[in-house]
Amino acid sequence: MKMKLLIFLLLVGFSPISFAKIPPTFPSSYHLSSLASKGNELLNYETNYFTQILDHFNYNPQSYQTFQQRYLFNDKYWGGSKNNAPIFVYTGNEGNIEWFTQNTGFMFEIAPHFNALLVFIEHRFYGKSIPYGGDKEIAYSNKSTLGYLSSTQALADYATLIIDLKNNLTATDSPVVVFGGSYGGMLAAWFRLKYPHVTIGALASSAPILNFDNITSPYSFNNIITQDFRGESENCYKVIKGSWKQIEDTAKTTGGLDKLRKSFRICKNYISRGSLENWVSTAFVYTAMTDYPTPSNFLNPLPAYPVKEMCKAIDDPKTGKDTFEKLYGAANIYYNYTGKTTCFDLNDDSDPHDLGGWTWQACTEMVMPTEGSNKESIFPPSEWDYNERVRFCKSTFGVKPRPNWVTTEFGGYNIERVLKRFGSNIIFFNGLRDPWSGAGVLKNISRSIVAIIAKEGAHHVDLRWSSKEDPEWLREVRGREVNIISKWLSQYYQTLTEIF
Ligand SMILES: *[C@@H]1O[C@H](CO)[C@@H](O)[C@H](O)[C@H]1NC(C)=O
Ligand SMILES: *[C@@H]1O[C@H](CO)[C@@H](O)[C@H](O)[C@H]1NC(C)=O
Ligand SMILES: *[C@@H]1O[C@H](CO)[C@@H](O)[C@H](O)[C@H]1NC(C)=O
Ligand SMILES: *[C@@H]1O[C@H](CO)[C@@H](O)[C@H](O)[C@H]1NC(C)=O
Ligand SMILES: CC(=O)N[C@H]1CO[C@H](CO)[C@@H](O)[C@@H]1O
């Protein structure tokens, strides 16, 4: 059997120095205890808009159109331009920038340590950064308007905005470090490679930059989800794996869809087998992605270690042999952890974080094969079918994807060999429980392009707010990141003062 096309989102002080030629010194080892939870009381920012160019790459009259790009900033901890204090920039991804900012506590927590200015830039076509006068209806109307939504335009936006902001602050010598998670992490890494004159280094968290063309196996994504659940219990894995056929068989019988609707507490509106399967599998995918060690509310409110909780529901002896009741129990954790949902609405297409533009990106350059499922997979066996993507994109937008563009523009093949000599100052963080980690950079490439791996980690867990309940491995990851960034900054200040 075959599931309907699903496209998943990919979904950090020093003493102030005077302009004098004394490079600042950093503690050689960052005190992890100072990262102790302050909760999100540090979350604080002002909102600004910048007049951005619609098309950076040609000089047709319509390219000169502009739009208002939103960025958030916090200068509470900034050491100022006289001190060349650093600027930390979050390279926004496919959604409302406030949402990413709220979920990137790490930058707020480390800003005082570095006396850093914080800037969070919204990606064009998302949130409030909508071209065509901010009118989303017009901006999203067709391929002629959506054509300006691309990663290369977004990176050029970031460079333009950062340079202008530094001029305004007379902070041209302040070093910029970029941060990002998921697609934002890909942008951060690519920004360092393409704009080395604008940023001194990048922390790319859970950035699946190798999920293009045929670099990473299309089975990798679902294999990792399978491992996550199978690692909890063999029974949990078997129940989920066996459930798809039962859903299929039940759906075929008369009154079967109604029975399924009742079993899963689905609201009384149209359901199909496909929409139910997507709804259930989405819960497993996103729970694996956000399998954090503490309670969270990123995509949905979830308990700590939600994969474990789902498997507990499935293994619960109270549900006996009733597969649907078990599956309902698991889905209930992802969709109803607050306990406030009276019935599940499969037709709910609300988009609170404004992620809709990703479908266009997935139909043009972000062709990331993840839909393969082998015999062992927790999902029904299926092959990644590029042609299915092409059909979907043609019928939805009238465009054909360019699956080779990302590797042409940013590279990806033989990344170790290429970046060893060419690149520097990038941290690739990956949590191995995250299905996207299979397409991340998992090996150290050089002394300054390093891979930090957390076996127990999920999707950009390092960037989240710290908590007293954080496990030791997570504190260690953050401490290492802080130390590496300190080193980049020290080196930068040293070269700034060297006389050539
Ligand atoms: C695309 O949308 C824009 C803005 O709504 C409109 O002006 C234009 O005519 C549309 N183009 C096509 C080919 O439909
Ligand atoms: C820099 O200052 C100019 C003039 O006030 C302003 O228009 C522009 O938006 C500022 N740039 C940024 C990035 O805020
Ligand atoms: C959501 O959880 C609450 C509390 O556990 C429960 O009463 C309610 O029935 C659940 N909703 C659905 C749709 O199952
Ligand atoms: C990368 O190198 C550091 C030492 O510089 C080491 O601690 C770390 O384990 C290495 N990472 C990987 C993924 O091998
Ligand atoms: C050998 C192989 O798997 N080739 C595939 C590489 O990716 C393209 C799409 O980008 C497929 O069409 C090929 O079949």
Side-chain angles (χ1 to χ4, degrees):
M1 80 186 228
K2 194 116 190 73
M3 292 201 191
K4 208 183 98 203
L5 177 75
L6 273 182
I7 295 169
F8 292 105
L9 298 159
L10 282 194
L11 269 173
V12 193
F14 57 91
S15 46
I17 46 156
S18 65
F19 199 63
K21 300 179 174 6
I22 313 154
T25 51
F26 295 98
S28 61
S29 162
Y30 187 71
H31 291 290
L32 300 173
S33 57
S34 55
L35 273 182
S37 168
K38 299 234 170 52
N40 37 17
E41 75 202 40
L42 296 176
L43 179 66
N44 208 321
Y45 52 79
E46 288 170 52
T47 303
N48 233 334
Y49 287 86
F50 173 62
T51 302
Q52 186 61 267
I53 299 251
L54 181 62
D55 183 354
H56 298 281
F57 301 111
N58 78 67
Y59 300 91
N60 289 333
Q62 74 258 29
S63 314
Y64 287 82
Q65 288 178 56
T66 58
F67 67 96
Q68 294 303 300
Q69 180 166 34
R70 178 165 62 166
Y71 70 93
L72 314 178
F73 76 99
N74 173 325
D75 60 4
K76 188 170 166 198
Y77 309 107
W78 197 37
S81 58
K82 277 209 203 89
N83 298 319
N84 294 325
I87 301 174
F88 289 176
V89 174
Y90 186 90
T91 49
N93 27 327
E94 74 281 27
N96 183 321
I97 191 63
E98 289 182 292
W99 180 54
F100 294 117
T101 304
Q102 285 153 14
N103 281 286
T104 310
F106 184 61
M107 287 174 68
F108 289 92
E109 292 177 338
I110 68 172
H113 175 73
F114 288 104
N115 291 343
L117 172 70
L118 298 178
V119 182
F120 300 81
I121 314 179
E122 191 160 67
H123 195 295
R124 55 166 59 203
F125 282 84
Y126 295 96
K128 297 246 187 293
S129 302
I130 308 291
Y132 300 96
D135 190 329
K136 203 167 169 186
E137 291 259 311
I138 297 178
Y140 277 74
S141 44
N142 57 48
K143 58 188 174 183
S144 309
T145 55
L146 279 166
Y148 297 103
L149 168 51
S150 73
S151 58
T152 41
Q153 295 281 10
L155 293 177
D157 289 342
Y158 298 156
T160 305
L161 194 156
I162 291 168
I163 291 169
D164 195 65
L165 181 68
K166 288 178 74 172
N167 280 335
N168 284 3
L169 297 170
T170 55
T172 42
D173 282 336
S174 280
V176 171
V177 179
V178 289
F179 297 73
S182 199
Y183 169 52
M186 301 181 357
L187 292 174
W190 293 336
F191 194 72
R192 168 64 187 156
L193 299 177
K194 292 288 188 186
Y195 295 90
H197 49 296
V198 186
T199 185
I200 65 157
L203 169 54
S205 180
S206 298
I209 60 167
L210 305 181
N211 219 145
F212 295 93
D213 273 4
N214 304 40
I215 302 173
T216 299
S217 157
Y219 302 110
S220 162
F221 189 85
N222 287 334
N223 278 348
I224 294 172
I225 298 170
T226 302
Q227 275 167 29
D228 288 347
F229 284 89
R230 200 169 194 174
E232 295 303 336
S233 95
E234 188 68 16
N235 179 62
C236 180
Y237 160 73
K238 279 194 175 141
V239 169
I240 300 171
K241 187 169 174 54
S243 67
W244 310 109
K245 177 137 186 6
Q246 287 193 43
I247 292 178
E248 190 185 353
D249 291 346
T250 307
K252 274 192 221 143
T253 61
T254 29
L257 277 175
D258 252 341
K259 179 172 190 281
L260 288 167
R261 179 207 304 284
K262 284 209 191 84
S263 302
F264 288 98
R265 281 71 156 178
I266 308 292
C267 305
K268 283 206 167 86
N269 46 25
Y270 174 79
I271 75 163
S272 63
R273 189 190 103 204
S275 64
L276 179 71
E277 284 164 350
N278 281 351
W279 180 80
V280 176
S281 56
T282 296
F284 294 129
V285 171
Y286 283 145
T287 300
M289 255 171 76
T290 57
D291 191 35
Y292 299 129
T294 51
S296 66
N297 184 4
F298 182 50
L299 298 164
N300 274 352
L302 282 174
Y305 299 109
V307 169
K308 191 186 281 307
E309 294 303 317
M310 276 191 164
C311 282
K312 256 195 221 157
I314 285 172
D315 292 340
D316 189 348
K318 282 205 293 276
T319 49
K321 283 197 175 352
D322 188 342
T323 301
F324 295 155
E325 191 59 16
K326 288 174 178 299
L327 226 53
Y328 157 74
N332 201 38
I333 288 168
Y334 181 72
Y335 290 112
N336 183 27
Y337 187 59
T338 57
K340 290 195 182 121
T341 313
T342 47
C343 67
F344 299 115
D345 181 3
L346 301 199
N347 301 323
D348 178 12
D349 56 2
S350 62
D351 181 10
H353 308 305
D354 233 337
L355 310 166
W358 187 251
T359 313
W360 165 263
Q361 293 197 261
C363 273
T364 48
E365 51 184 6
M366 296 297 152
V367 181
M368 308 177 76
T370 56
E371 287 110 72
S373 255
N374 59 20
K375 252 182 25 217
E376 295 285 293
S377 173
I378 200 160
F379 301 115
S382 71
E383 297 302 319
W384 151 247
D385 183 355
Y386 173 65
N387 293 322
E388 191 183 338
R389 177 73 62 97
V390 173
R391 280 191 295 275
F392 170 80
C393 297
K394 279 196 170 151
S395 72
T396 308
F397 299 110
V399 294
K400 195 170 173 229
R402 294 182 190 164
N404 313 118
W405 173 243
V406 163
T407 50
T408 305
E409 171 71 2
F410 302 114
Y413 288 104
N414 305 312
I415 190 156
E416 287 165 51
R417 199 200 307 153
V418 174
L419 293 192
K420 193 185 185 92
R421 306 245 185 279
F422 158 69
S424 67
N425 292 5
I426 304 177
I427 301 168
F428 289 104
F429 168 79
N430 277 286
L432 297 187
R433 293 180 73 75
D434 175 12
W436 293 109
S437 66
V441 175
L442 301 176
K443 279 197 223 149
N444 286 337
I445 289 178
S446 67
R447 286 181 58 170
S448 72
I449 301 189
V450 295
I452 297 183
I453 285 172
K455 195 161 72 13
E456 309 89 334
H459 205 48
H460 50 66
V461 61
D462 55 331
L463 296 184
R464 300 182 56 75
W465 293 96
S466 66
S467 139
K468 281 199 288 292
E469 280 78 48
D470 282 339
E472 191 52 34
W473 59 260
L474 183 50
R475 288 170 204 268
E476 241 167 64
V477 163
R478 292 185 176 132
R480 281 177 64 191
E481 291 173 349
V482 167
N483 286 335
I484 293 169
I485 293 164
S486 300
K487 208 160 76 189
W488 297 343
L489 289 167
S490 297
Q491 281 164 353
Y492 172 81
Y493 289 115
Q494 219 147 19
T495 42
L496 196 61
T497 57
E498 272 165 16
I499 298 158
F500 292 96

